[in-house]
mmCIF file with all atom_site columns, all heavy atoms in Angstrom:
data_model
loop_
_atom_site.group_PDB
_atom_site.id
_atom_site.type_symbol
_atom_site.label_atom_id
_atom_site.label_alt_id
_atom_site.label_comp_id
_atom_site.label_asym_id
_atom_site.label_entity_id
_atom_site.label_seq_id
_atom_site.pdbx_PDB_ins_code
_atom_site.Cartn_x
_atom_site.Cartn_y
_atom_site.Cartn_z
_atom_site.occupancy
_atom_site.B_iso_or_equiv
_atom_site.pdbx_formal_charge
_atom_site.auth_seq_id
_atom_site.auth_comp_id
_atom_site.auth_asym_id
_atom_site.auth_atom_id
_atom_site.pdbx_PDB_model_num
ATOM 1   N N   . LEU A 1 5   ? -16.417 -4.473  -12.300 1.00 54.00 ? 5   LEU A N   1
ATOM 2   C CA  . LEU A 1 5   ? -15.404 -5.297  -11.644 1.00 54.00 ? 5   LEU A CA  1
ATOM 3   C C   . LEU A 1 5   ? -14.736 -6.229  -12.627 1.00 54.00 ? 5   LEU A C   1
ATOM 4   O O   . LEU A 1 5   ? -15.376 -7.025  -13.291 1.00 54.00 ? 5   LEU A O   1
ATOM 5   C CB  . LEU A 1 5   ? -16.036 -6.097  -10.512 1.00 54.00 ? 5   LEU A CB  1
ATOM 6   C CG  . LEU A 1 5   ? -15.055 -6.920  -9.677  1.00 54.00 ? 5   LEU A CG  1
ATOM 7   C CD1 . LEU A 1 5   ? -14.053 -5.997  -8.993  1.00 54.00 ? 5   LEU A CD1 1
ATOM 8   C CD2 . LEU A 1 5   ? -15.798 -7.745  -8.651  1.00 54.00 ? 5   LEU A CD2 1
ATOM 9   N N   . PRO A 1 8   ? -9.144  -10.450 -12.559 1.00 61.00 ? 8   PRO A N   1
ATOM 10  C CA  . PRO A 1 8   ? -8.070  -11.269 -13.114 1.00 61.00 ? 8   PRO A CA  1
ATOM 11  C C   . PRO A 1 8   ? -7.713  -12.413 -12.179 1.00 61.00 ? 8   PRO A C   1
ATOM 12  O O   . PRO A 1 8   ? -7.876  -12.309 -10.969 1.00 61.00 ? 8   PRO A O   1
ATOM 13  C CB  . PRO A 1 8   ? -6.905  -10.277 -13.232 1.00 61.00 ? 8   PRO A CB  1
ATOM 14  C CG  . PRO A 1 8   ? -7.186  -9.234  -12.193 1.00 61.00 ? 8   PRO A CG  1
ATOM 15  C CD  . PRO A 1 8   ? -8.683  -9.127  -12.115 1.00 61.00 ? 8   PRO A CD  1
ATOM 16  N N   . PRO A 1 10  ? -5.239  -14.616 -10.039 1.00 66.00 ? 10  PRO A N   1
ATOM 17  C CA  . PRO A 1 10  ? -3.917  -14.377 -9.451  1.00 66.00 ? 10  PRO A CA  1
ATOM 18  C C   . PRO A 1 10  ? -2.916  -15.409 -9.929  1.00 66.00 ? 10  PRO A C   1
ATOM 19  O O   . PRO A 1 10  ? -3.261  -16.528 -10.289 1.00 66.00 ? 10  PRO A O   1
ATOM 20  C CB  . PRO A 1 10  ? -4.170  -14.537 -7.953  1.00 66.00 ? 10  PRO A CB  1
ATOM 21  C CG  . PRO A 1 10  ? -5.333  -15.485 -7.883  1.00 66.00 ? 10  PRO A CG  1
ATOM 22  C CD  . PRO A 1 10  ? -6.203  -15.139 -9.066  1.00 66.00 ? 10  PRO A CD  1
ATOM 23  N N   . GLN A 1 22  ? 0.352   -12.784 -3.903  1.00 95.00 ? 22  GLN A N   1
ATOM 24  C CA  . GLN A 1 22  ? -0.246  -13.061 -5.204  1.00 95.00 ? 22  GLN A CA  1
ATOM 25  C C   . GLN A 1 22  ? -0.386  -11.775 -5.994  1.00 95.00 ? 22  GLN A C   1
ATOM 26  O O   . GLN A 1 22  ? -0.748  -10.730 -5.444  1.00 95.00 ? 22  GLN A O   1
ATOM 27  C CB  . GLN A 1 22  ? -1.610  -13.729 -5.044  1.00 95.00 ? 22  GLN A CB  1
ATOM 28  C CG  . GLN A 1 22  ? -1.530  -15.155 -4.503  1.00 95.00 ? 22  GLN A CG  1
ATOM 29  C CD  . GLN A 1 22  ? -2.897  -15.781 -4.375  1.00 95.00 ? 22  GLN A CD  1
ATOM 30  O OE1 . GLN A 1 22  ? -3.807  -15.197 -3.812  1.00 95.00 ? 22  GLN A OE1 1
ATOM 31  N NE2 . GLN A 1 22  ? -3.049  -16.985 -4.905  1.00 95.00 ? 22  GLN A NE2 1
ATOM 32  N N   . TYR A 1 24  ? -2.428  -9.976  -8.825  1.00 95.00 ? 24  TYR A N   1
ATOM 33  C CA  . TYR A 1 24  ? -3.697  -10.022 -9.550  1.00 95.00 ? 24  TYR A CA  1
ATOM 34  C C   . TYR A 1 24  ? -3.643  -9.244  -10.858 1.00 95.00 ? 24  TYR A C   1
ATOM 35  O O   . TYR A 1 24  ? -4.663  -9.061  -11.521 1.00 95.00 ? 24  TYR A O   1
ATOM 36  C CB  . TYR A 1 24  ? -4.824  -9.487  -8.665  1.00 95.00 ? 24  TYR A CB  1
ATOM 37  C CG  . TYR A 1 24  ? -5.284  -10.489 -7.627  1.00 95.00 ? 24  TYR A CG  1
ATOM 38  C CD1 . TYR A 1 24  ? -4.544  -10.699 -6.464  1.00 95.00 ? 24  TYR A CD1 1
ATOM 39  C CD2 . TYR A 1 24  ? -6.447  -11.221 -7.796  1.00 95.00 ? 24  TYR A CD2 1
ATOM 40  C CE1 . TYR A 1 24  ? -4.964  -11.621 -5.508  1.00 95.00 ? 24  TYR A CE1 1
ATOM 41  C CE2 . TYR A 1 24  ? -6.869  -12.145 -6.845  1.00 95.00 ? 24  TYR A CE2 1
ATOM 42  C CZ  . TYR A 1 24  ? -6.118  -12.336 -5.704  1.00 95.00 ? 24  TYR A CZ  1
ATOM 43  O OH  . TYR A 1 24  ? -6.527  -13.257 -4.766  1.00 95.00 ? 24  TYR A OH  1
ATOM 44  N N   . PHE A 1 27  ? -5.850  -4.796  -12.055 1.00 95.00 ? 27  PHE A N   1
ATOM 45  C CA  . PHE A 1 27  ? -7.189  -4.777  -11.473 1.00 95.00 ? 27  PHE A CA  1
ATOM 46  C C   . PHE A 1 27  ? -8.025  -3.670  -12.104 1.00 95.00 ? 27  PHE A C   1
ATOM 47  O O   . PHE A 1 27  ? -9.245  -3.806  -12.265 1.00 95.00 ? 27  PHE A O   1
ATOM 48  C CB  . PHE A 1 27  ? -7.065  -4.582  -9.961  1.00 95.00 ? 27  PHE A CB  1
ATOM 49  C CG  . PHE A 1 27  ? -8.364  -4.344  -9.267  1.00 95.00 ? 27  PHE A CG  1
ATOM 50  C CD1 . PHE A 1 27  ? -9.272  -5.380  -9.086  1.00 95.00 ? 27  PHE A CD1 1
ATOM 51  C CD2 . PHE A 1 27  ? -8.677  -3.089  -8.766  1.00 95.00 ? 27  PHE A CD2 1
ATOM 52  C CE1 . PHE A 1 27  ? -10.474 -5.163  -8.438  1.00 95.00 ? 27  PHE A CE1 1
ATOM 53  C CE2 . PHE A 1 27  ? -9.869  -2.866  -8.107  1.00 95.00 ? 27  PHE A CE2 1
ATOM 54  C CZ  . PHE A 1 27  ? -10.778 -3.908  -7.949  1.00 95.00 ? 27  PHE A CZ  1
ATOM 55  N N   . GLN A 1 95  ? -14.491 -1.379  -1.696  1.00 97.00 ? 95  GLN A N   1
ATOM 56  C CA  . GLN A 1 95  ? -15.573 -2.339  -1.873  1.00 97.00 ? 95  GLN A CA  1
ATOM 57  C C   . GLN A 1 95  ? -15.310 -3.279  -3.047  1.00 97.00 ? 95  GLN A C   1
ATOM 58  O O   . GLN A 1 95  ? -15.603 -4.478  -2.972  1.00 97.00 ? 95  GLN A O   1
ATOM 59  C CB  . GLN A 1 95  ? -16.893 -1.597  -2.085  1.00 97.00 ? 95  GLN A CB  1
ATOM 60  C CG  . GLN A 1 95  ? -17.425 -0.897  -0.836  1.00 97.00 ? 95  GLN A CG  1
ATOM 61  C CD  . GLN A 1 95  ? -18.743 -0.213  -1.097  1.00 97.00 ? 95  GLN A CD  1
ATOM 62  O OE1 . GLN A 1 95  ? -18.909 0.487   -2.099  1.00 97.00 ? 95  GLN A OE1 1
ATOM 63  N NE2 . GLN A 1 95  ? -19.702 -0.404  -0.208  1.00 97.00 ? 95  GLN A NE2 1
ATOM 64  N N   . SER A 1 96  ? -14.766 -2.756  -4.126  1.00 96.00 ? 96  SER A N   1
ATOM 65  C CA  . SER A 1 96  ? -14.482 -3.581  -5.308  1.00 96.00 ? 96  SER A CA  1
ATOM 66  C C   . SER A 1 96  ? -13.394 -4.605  -5.019  1.00 96.00 ? 96  SER A C   1
ATOM 67  O O   . SER A 1 96  ? -13.483 -5.763  -5.445  1.00 96.00 ? 96  SER A O   1
ATOM 68  C CB  . SER A 1 96  ? -14.074 -2.690  -6.482  1.00 96.00 ? 96  SER A CB  1
ATOM 69  O OG  . SER A 1 96  ? -15.121 -1.810  -6.837  1.00 96.00 ? 96  SER A OG  1
ATOM 70  N N   . ILE A 1 97  ? -12.356 -4.194  -4.280  1.00 97.00 ? 97  ILE A N   1
ATOM 71  C CA  . ILE A 1 97  ? -11.280 -5.122  -3.920  1.00 97.00 ? 97  ILE A CA  1
ATOM 72  C C   . ILE A 1 97  ? -11.789 -6.172  -2.943  1.00 97.00 ? 97  ILE A C   1
ATOM 73  O O   . ILE A 1 97  ? -11.444 -7.354  -3.054  1.00 97.00 ? 97  ILE A O   1
ATOM 74  C CB  . ILE A 1 97  ? -10.079 -4.336  -3.360  1.00 97.00 ? 97  ILE A CB  1
ATOM 75  C CG1 . ILE A 1 97  ? -9.434  -3.494  -4.474  1.00 97.00 ? 97  ILE A CG1 1
ATOM 76  C CG2 . ILE A 1 97  ? -9.046  -5.282  -2.741  1.00 97.00 ? 97  ILE A CG2 1
ATOM 77  C CD1 . ILE A 1 97  ? -8.356  -2.559  -4.000  1.00 97.00 ? 97  ILE A CD1 1
ATOM 78  N N   . GLU A 1 98  ? -12.628 -5.774  -2.010  1.00 97.00 ? 98  GLU A N   1
ATOM 79  C CA  . GLU A 1 98  ? -13.232 -6.731  -1.078  1.00 97.00 ? 98  GLU A CA  1
ATOM 80  C C   . GLU A 1 98  ? -14.054 -7.773  -1.824  1.00 97.00 ? 98  GLU A C   1
ATOM 81  O O   . GLU A 1 98  ? -14.017 -8.969  -1.501  1.00 97.00 ? 98  GLU A O   1
ATOM 82  C CB  . GLU A 1 98  ? -14.108 -5.998  -0.067  1.00 97.00 ? 98  GLU A CB  1
ATOM 83  C CG  . GLU A 1 98  ? -13.331 -5.192  0.964   1.00 97.00 ? 98  GLU A CG  1
ATOM 84  C CD  . GLU A 1 98  ? -14.239 -4.375  1.857   1.00 97.00 ? 98  GLU A CD  1
ATOM 85  O OE1 . GLU A 1 98  ? -15.361 -4.022  1.411   1.00 97.00 ? 98  GLU A OE1 1
ATOM 86  O OE2 . GLU A 1 98  ? -13.841 -4.070  2.992   1.00 97.00 ? 98  GLU A OE2 1
ATOM 87  N N   . GLN A 1 99  ? -14.815 -7.326  -2.829  1.00 95.00 ? 99  GLN A N   1
ATOM 88  C CA  . GLN A 1 99  ? -15.643 -8.241  -3.617  1.00 95.00 ? 99  GLN A CA  1
ATOM 89  C C   . GLN A 1 99  ? -14.782 -9.252  -4.362  1.00 95.00 ? 99  GLN A C   1
ATOM 90  O O   . GLN A 1 99  ? -15.102 -10.440 -4.422  1.00 95.00 ? 99  GLN A O   1
ATOM 91  C CB  . GLN A 1 99  ? -16.503 -7.449  -4.599  1.00 95.00 ? 99  GLN A CB  1
ATOM 92  C CG  . GLN A 1 99  ? -17.454 -8.314  -5.428  1.00 95.00 ? 99  GLN A CG  1
ATOM 93  C CD  . GLN A 1 99  ? -18.288 -7.484  -6.385  1.00 95.00 ? 99  GLN A CD  1
ATOM 94  O OE1 . GLN A 1 99  ? -18.383 -6.260  -6.255  1.00 95.00 ? 99  GLN A OE1 1
ATOM 95  N NE2 . GLN A 1 99  ? -18.884 -8.142  -7.367  1.00 95.00 ? 99  GLN A NE2 1
ATOM 96  N N   . LEU A 1 100 ? -13.673 -8.789  -4.912  1.00 94.00 ? 100 LEU A N   1
ATOM 97  C CA  . LEU A 1 100 ? -12.768 -9.667  -5.646  1.00 94.00 ? 100 LEU A CA  1
ATOM 98  C C   . LEU A 1 100 ? -12.122 -10.694 -4.728  1.00 94.00 ? 100 LEU A C   1
ATOM 99  O O   . LEU A 1 100 ? -12.060 -11.892 -5.054  1.00 94.00 ? 100 LEU A O   1
ATOM 100 C CB  . LEU A 1 100 ? -11.687 -8.842  -6.347  1.00 94.00 ? 100 LEU A CB  1
ATOM 101 C CG  . LEU A 1 100 ? -10.522 -9.619  -6.972  1.00 94.00 ? 100 LEU A CG  1
ATOM 102 C CD1 . LEU A 1 100 ? -11.021 -10.504 -8.114  1.00 94.00 ? 100 LEU A CD1 1
ATOM 103 C CD2 . LEU A 1 100 ? -9.443  -8.664  -7.459  1.00 94.00 ? 100 LEU A CD2 1
ATOM 104 N N   . LEU A 1 101 ? -11.655 -10.254 -3.571  1.00 94.00 ? 101 LEU A N   1
ATOM 105 C CA  . LEU A 1 101 ? -10.844 -11.110 -2.700  1.00 94.00 ? 101 LEU A CA  1
ATOM 106 C C   . LEU A 1 101 ? -11.663 -11.901 -1.686  1.00 94.00 ? 101 LEU A C   1
ATOM 107 O O   . LEU A 1 101 ? -11.149 -12.878 -1.119  1.00 94.00 ? 101 LEU A O   1
ATOM 108 C CB  . LEU A 1 101 ? -9.816  -10.257 -1.942  1.00 94.00 ? 101 LEU A CB  1
ATOM 109 C CG  . LEU A 1 101 ? -8.839  -9.450  -2.790  1.00 94.00 ? 101 LEU A CG  1
ATOM 110 C CD1 . LEU A 1 101 ? -7.893  -8.659  -1.893  1.00 94.00 ? 101 LEU A CD1 1
ATOM 111 C CD2 . LEU A 1 101 ? -8.057  -10.344 -3.734  1.00 94.00 ? 101 LEU A CD2 1
ATOM 112 N N   . GLY A 1 102 ? -12.905 -11.483 -1.441  1.00 93.00 ? 102 GLY A N   1
ATOM 113 C CA  . GLY A 1 102 ? -13.669 -12.122 -0.381  1.00 93.00 ? 102 GLY A CA  1
ATOM 114 C C   . GLY A 1 102 ? -13.112 -11.791 0.990   1.00 93.00 ? 102 GLY A C   1
ATOM 115 O O   . GLY A 1 102 ? -13.209 -12.590 1.929   1.00 93.00 ? 102 GLY A O   1
ATOM 116 N N   . GLU A 1 103 ? -12.505 -10.613 1.127   1.00 93.00 ? 103 GLU A N   1
ATOM 117 C CA  . GLU A 1 103 ? -11.910 -10.146 2.388   1.00 93.00 ? 103 GLU A CA  1
ATOM 118 C C   . GLU A 1 103 ? -12.594 -8.848  2.808   1.00 93.00 ? 103 GLU A C   1
ATOM 119 O O   . GLU A 1 103 ? -13.208 -8.157  1.987   1.00 93.00 ? 103 GLU A O   1
ATOM 120 C CB  . GLU A 1 103 ? -10.412 -9.879  2.211   1.00 93.00 ? 103 GLU A CB  1
ATOM 121 C CG  . GLU A 1 103 ? -9.596  -11.074 1.778   1.00 93.00 ? 103 GLU A CG  1
ATOM 122 C CD  . GLU A 1 103 ? -9.002  -11.824 2.955   1.00 93.00 ? 103 GLU A CD  1
ATOM 123 O OE1 . GLU A 1 103 ? -9.267  -11.423 4.097   1.00 93.00 ? 103 GLU A OE1 1
ATOM 124 O OE2 . GLU A 1 103 ? -8.272  -12.790 2.706   1.00 93.00 ? 103 GLU A OE2 1
ATOM 125 N N   . GLN A 1 104 ? -12.470 -8.505  4.081   1.00 94.00 ? 104 GLN A N   1
ATOM 126 C CA  . GLN A 1 104 ? -12.994 -7.252  4.595   1.00 94.00 ? 104 GLN A CA  1
ATOM 127 C C   . GLN A 1 104 ? -11.845 -6.384  5.103   1.00 94.00 ? 104 GLN A C   1
ATOM 128 O O   . GLN A 1 104 ? -10.971 -6.871  5.824   1.00 94.00 ? 104 GLN A O   1
ATOM 129 C CB  . GLN A 1 104 ? -13.993 -7.504  5.730   1.00 94.00 ? 104 GLN A CB  1
ATOM 130 C CG  . GLN A 1 104 ? -15.267 -8.210  5.282   1.00 94.00 ? 104 GLN A CG  1
ATOM 131 C CD  . GLN A 1 104 ? -16.111 -7.369  4.349   1.00 94.00 ? 104 GLN A CD  1
ATOM 132 O OE1 . GLN A 1 104 ? -16.331 -6.186  4.599   1.00 94.00 ? 104 GLN A OE1 1
ATOM 133 N NE2 . GLN A 1 104 ? -16.579 -7.971  3.267   1.00 94.00 ? 104 GLN A NE2 1
ATOM 134 N N   . PHE A 1 105 ? -11.847 -5.121  4.717   1.00 95.00 ? 105 PHE A N   1
ATOM 135 C CA  . PHE A 1 105 ? -10.841 -4.167  5.165   1.00 95.00 ? 105 PHE A CA  1
ATOM 136 C C   . PHE A 1 105 ? -11.536 -2.988  5.829   1.00 95.00 ? 105 PHE A C   1
ATOM 137 O O   . PHE A 1 105 ? -12.564 -2.523  5.350   1.00 95.00 ? 105 PHE A O   1
ATOM 138 C CB  . PHE A 1 105 ? -9.988  -3.677  3.987   1.00 95.00 ? 105 PHE A CB  1
ATOM 139 C CG  . PHE A 1 105 ? -9.316  -4.786  3.229   1.00 95.00 ? 105 PHE A CG  1
ATOM 140 C CD1 . PHE A 1 105 ? -9.782  -5.167  1.979   1.00 95.00 ? 105 PHE A CD1 1
ATOM 141 C CD2 . PHE A 1 105 ? -8.229  -5.464  3.764   1.00 95.00 ? 105 PHE A CD2 1
ATOM 142 C CE1 . PHE A 1 105 ? -9.173  -6.195  1.284   1.00 95.00 ? 105 PHE A CE1 1
ATOM 143 C CE2 . PHE A 1 105 ? -7.610  -6.492  3.073   1.00 95.00 ? 105 PHE A CE2 1
ATOM 144 C CZ  . PHE A 1 105 ? -8.094  -6.861  1.822   1.00 95.00 ? 105 PHE A CZ  1
ATOM 145 N N   . THR A 1 135 ? -4.033  -9.888  6.022   1.00 93.00 ? 135 THR A N   1
ATOM 146 C CA  . THR A 1 135 ? -4.079  -9.736  4.570   1.00 93.00 ? 135 THR A CA  1
ATOM 147 C C   . THR A 1 135 ? -4.001  -8.262  4.241   1.00 93.00 ? 135 THR A C   1
ATOM 148 O O   . THR A 1 135 ? -4.749  -7.450  4.802   1.00 93.00 ? 135 THR A O   1
ATOM 149 C CB  . THR A 1 135 ? -5.379  -10.325 3.991   1.00 93.00 ? 135 THR A CB  1
ATOM 150 O OG1 . THR A 1 135 ? -5.411  -11.732 4.244   1.00 93.00 ? 135 THR A OG1 1
ATOM 151 C CG2 . THR A 1 135 ? -5.461  -10.087 2.487   1.00 93.00 ? 135 THR A CG2 1
ATOM 152 N N   . ILE A 1 136 ? -3.078  -7.897  3.352   1.00 94.00 ? 136 ILE A N   1
ATOM 153 C CA  . ILE A 1 136 ? -2.915  -6.513  2.916   1.00 94.00 ? 136 ILE A CA  1
ATOM 154 C C   . ILE A 1 136 ? -3.020  -6.479  1.403   1.00 94.00 ? 136 ILE A C   1
ATOM 155 O O   . ILE A 1 136 ? -2.262  -7.157  0.702   1.00 94.00 ? 136 ILE A O   1
ATOM 156 C CB  . ILE A 1 136 ? -1.565  -5.930  3.371   1.00 94.00 ? 136 ILE A CB  1
ATOM 157 C CG1 . ILE A 1 136 ? -1.460  -5.943  4.893   1.00 94.00 ? 136 ILE A CG1 1
ATOM 158 C CG2 . ILE A 1 136 ? -1.382  -4.512  2.827   1.00 94.00 ? 136 ILE A CG2 1
ATOM 159 C CD1 . ILE A 1 136 ? -0.110  -5.498  5.419   1.00 94.00 ? 136 ILE A CD1 1
ATOM 160 N N   . ALA A 1 137 ? -3.980  -5.700  0.890   1.00 97.00 ? 137 ALA A N   1
ATOM 161 C CA  . ALA A 1 137 ? -4.154  -5.524  -0.554  1.00 97.00 ? 137 ALA A CA  1
ATOM 162 C C   . ALA A 1 137 ? -3.518  -4.206  -0.962  1.00 97.00 ? 137 ALA A C   1
ATOM 163 O O   . ALA A 1 137 ? -3.835  -3.154  -0.397  1.00 97.00 ? 137 ALA A O   1
ATOM 164 C CB  . ALA A 1 137 ? -5.636  -5.543  -0.914  1.00 97.00 ? 137 ALA A CB  1
ATOM 165 N N   . SER A 1 138 ? -2.606  -4.265  -1.925  1.00 97.00 ? 138 SER A N   1
ATOM 166 C CA  . SER A 1 138 ? -1.828  -3.088  -2.322  1.00 97.00 ? 138 SER A CA  1
ATOM 167 C C   . SER A 1 138 ? -2.092  -2.761  -3.789  1.00 97.00 ? 138 SER A C   1
ATOM 168 O O   . SER A 1 138 ? -1.790  -3.555  -4.678  1.00 97.00 ? 138 SER A O   1
ATOM 169 C CB  . SER A 1 138 ? -0.333  -3.363  -2.094  1.00 97.00 ? 138 SER A CB  1
ATOM 170 O OG  . SER A 1 138 ? 0.462   -2.286  -2.540  1.00 97.00 ? 138 SER A OG  1
ATOM 171 N N   . LEU A 1 167 ? -2.672  -4.822  -8.822  1.00 97.00 ? 167 LEU A N   1
ATOM 172 C CA  . LEU A 1 167 ? -3.030  -5.190  -7.462  1.00 97.00 ? 167 LEU A CA  1
ATOM 173 C C   . LEU A 1 167 ? -2.228  -6.401  -7.021  1.00 97.00 ? 167 LEU A C   1
ATOM 174 O O   . LEU A 1 167 ? -2.221  -7.426  -7.705  1.00 97.00 ? 167 LEU A O   1
ATOM 175 C CB  . LEU A 1 167 ? -4.528  -5.517  -7.376  1.00 97.00 ? 167 LEU A CB  1
ATOM 176 C CG  . LEU A 1 167 ? -5.060  -6.023  -6.031  1.00 97.00 ? 167 LEU A CG  1
ATOM 177 C CD1 . LEU A 1 167 ? -5.047  -4.900  -4.998  1.00 97.00 ? 167 LEU A CD1 1
ATOM 178 C CD2 . LEU A 1 167 ? -6.470  -6.590  -6.188  1.00 97.00 ? 167 LEU A CD2 1
ATOM 179 N N   . ILE A 1 168 ? -1.534  -6.293  -5.892  1.00 97.00 ? 168 ILE A N   1
ATOM 180 C CA  . ILE A 1 168 ? -0.902  -7.453  -5.270  1.00 97.00 ? 168 ILE A CA  1
ATOM 181 C C   . ILE A 1 168 ? -1.462  -7.616  -3.867  1.00 97.00 ? 168 ILE A C   1
ATOM 182 O O   . ILE A 1 168 ? -1.887  -6.635  -3.239  1.00 97.00 ? 168 ILE A O   1
ATOM 183 C CB  . ILE A 1 168 ? 0.646   -7.356  -5.236  1.00 97.00 ? 168 ILE A CB  1
ATOM 184 C CG1 . ILE A 1 168 ? 1.107   -6.222  -4.324  1.00 97.00 ? 168 ILE A CG1 1
ATOM 185 C CG2 . ILE A 1 168 ? 1.221   -7.221  -6.639  1.00 97.00 ? 168 ILE A CG2 1
ATOM 186 C CD1 . ILE A 1 168 ? 2.596   -6.247  -4.046  1.00 97.00 ? 168 ILE A CD1 1
ATOM 187 N N   . VAL A 1 169 ? -1.457  -8.859  -3.372  1.00 97.00 ? 169 VAL A N   1
ATOM 188 C CA  . VAL A 1 169 ? -2.042  -9.155  -2.070  1.00 97.00 ? 169 VAL A CA  1
ATOM 189 C C   . VAL A 1 169 ? -1.060  -9.982  -1.258  1.00 97.00 ? 169 VAL A C   1
ATOM 190 O O   . VAL A 1 169 ? -0.591  -11.034 -1.708  1.00 97.00 ? 169 VAL A O   1
ATOM 191 C CB  . VAL A 1 169 ? -3.379  -9.907  -2.224  1.00 97.00 ? 169 VAL A CB  1
ATOM 192 C CG1 . VAL A 1 169 ? -3.980  -10.205 -0.852  1.00 97.00 ? 169 VAL A CG1 1
ATOM 193 C CG2 . VAL A 1 169 ? -4.362  -9.091  -3.062  1.00 97.00 ? 169 VAL A CG2 1
ATOM 194 N N   . MET A 1 170 ? -0.733  -9.504  -0.061  1.00 95.00 ? 170 MET A N   1
ATOM 195 C CA  . MET A 1 170 ? 0.154   -10.202 0.871   1.00 95.00 ? 170 MET A CA  1
ATOM 196 C C   . MET A 1 170 ? -0.702  -10.869 1.942   1.00 95.00 ? 170 MET A C   1
ATOM 197 O O   . MET A 1 170 ? -1.570  -10.222 2.527   1.00 95.00 ? 170 MET A O   1
ATOM 198 C CB  . MET A 1 170 ? 1.141   -9.228  1.498   1.00 95.00 ? 170 MET A CB  1
ATOM 199 C CG  . MET A 1 170 ? 2.056   -8.559  0.499   1.00 95.00 ? 170 MET A CG  1
ATOM 200 S SD  . MET A 1 170 ? 3.200   -7.344  1.248   1.00 95.00 ? 170 MET A SD  1
ATOM 201 C CE  . MET A 1 170 ? 2.104   -5.927  1.441   1.00 95.00 ? 170 MET A CE  1
ATOM 202 N N   . ARG A 1 171 ? -0.440  -12.158 2.208   1.00 93.00 ? 171 ARG A N   1
ATOM 203 C CA  . ARG A 1 171 ? -1.264  -12.913 3.147   1.00 93.00 ? 171 ARG A CA  1
ATOM 204 C C   . ARG A 1 171 ? -0.395  -13.717 4.121   1.00 93.00 ? 171 ARG A C   1
ATOM 205 O O   . ARG A 1 171 ? 0.816   -13.843 3.947   1.00 93.00 ? 171 ARG A O   1
ATOM 206 C CB  . ARG A 1 171 ? -2.180  -13.884 2.394   1.00 93.00 ? 171 ARG A CB  1
ATOM 207 C CG  . ARG A 1 171 ? -3.268  -13.258 1.520   1.00 93.00 ? 171 ARG A CG  1
ATOM 208 C CD  . ARG A 1 171 ? -4.174  -14.338 0.961   1.00 93.00 ? 171 ARG A CD  1
ATOM 209 N NE  . ARG A 1 171 ? -5.360  -13.819 0.297   1.00 93.00 ? 171 ARG A NE  1
ATOM 210 C CZ  . ARG A 1 171 ? -5.441  -13.577 -1.006  1.00 93.00 ? 171 ARG A CZ  1
ATOM 211 N NH1 . ARG A 1 171 ? -4.408  -13.829 -1.785  1.00 93.00 ? 171 ARG A NH1 1
ATOM 212 N NH2 . ARG A 1 171 ? -6.564  -13.117 -1.533  1.00 93.00 ? 171 ARG A NH2 1
ATOM 213 N N   . PHE A 1 197 ? -4.831  -1.507  1.646   1.00 96.00 ? 197 PHE A N   1
ATOM 214 C CA  . PHE A 1 197 ? -6.057  -1.787  2.393   1.00 96.00 ? 197 PHE A CA  1
ATOM 215 C C   . PHE A 1 197 ? -5.763  -2.855  3.438   1.00 96.00 ? 197 PHE A C   1
ATOM 216 O O   . PHE A 1 197 ? -5.199  -3.903  3.124   1.00 96.00 ? 197 PHE A O   1
ATOM 217 C CB  . PHE A 1 197 ? -7.163  -2.232  1.438   1.00 96.00 ? 197 PHE A CB  1
ATOM 218 C CG  . PHE A 1 197 ? -7.555  -1.173  0.455   1.00 96.00 ? 197 PHE A CG  1
ATOM 219 C CD1 . PHE A 1 197 ? -6.932  -1.069  -0.779  1.00 96.00 ? 197 PHE A CD1 1
ATOM 220 C CD2 . PHE A 1 197 ? -8.545  -0.245  0.778   1.00 96.00 ? 197 PHE A CD2 1
ATOM 221 C CE1 . PHE A 1 197 ? -7.289  -0.075  -1.694  1.00 96.00 ? 197 PHE A CE1 1
ATOM 222 C CE2 . PHE A 1 197 ? -8.913  0.756   -0.117  1.00 96.00 ? 197 PHE A CE2 1
ATOM 223 C CZ  . PHE A 1 197 ? -8.278  0.839   -1.356  1.00 96.00 ? 197 PHE A CZ  1
#
Side-chain angles (χ1 to χ4, degrees):
L5 184 62
Q22 291 181 310
Y24 283 78
F27 172 73
Q95 289 181 314
S96 298
I97 292 173
E98 288 174 334
Q99 183 180 344
L100 170 65
L101 301 180
E103 300 267 2
Q104 294 294 314
F105 303 106
T135 297
I136 300 175
S138 176
L167 176 70
I168 66 169
V169 180
M170 298 178 281
R171 293 186 171 93
F197 297 90

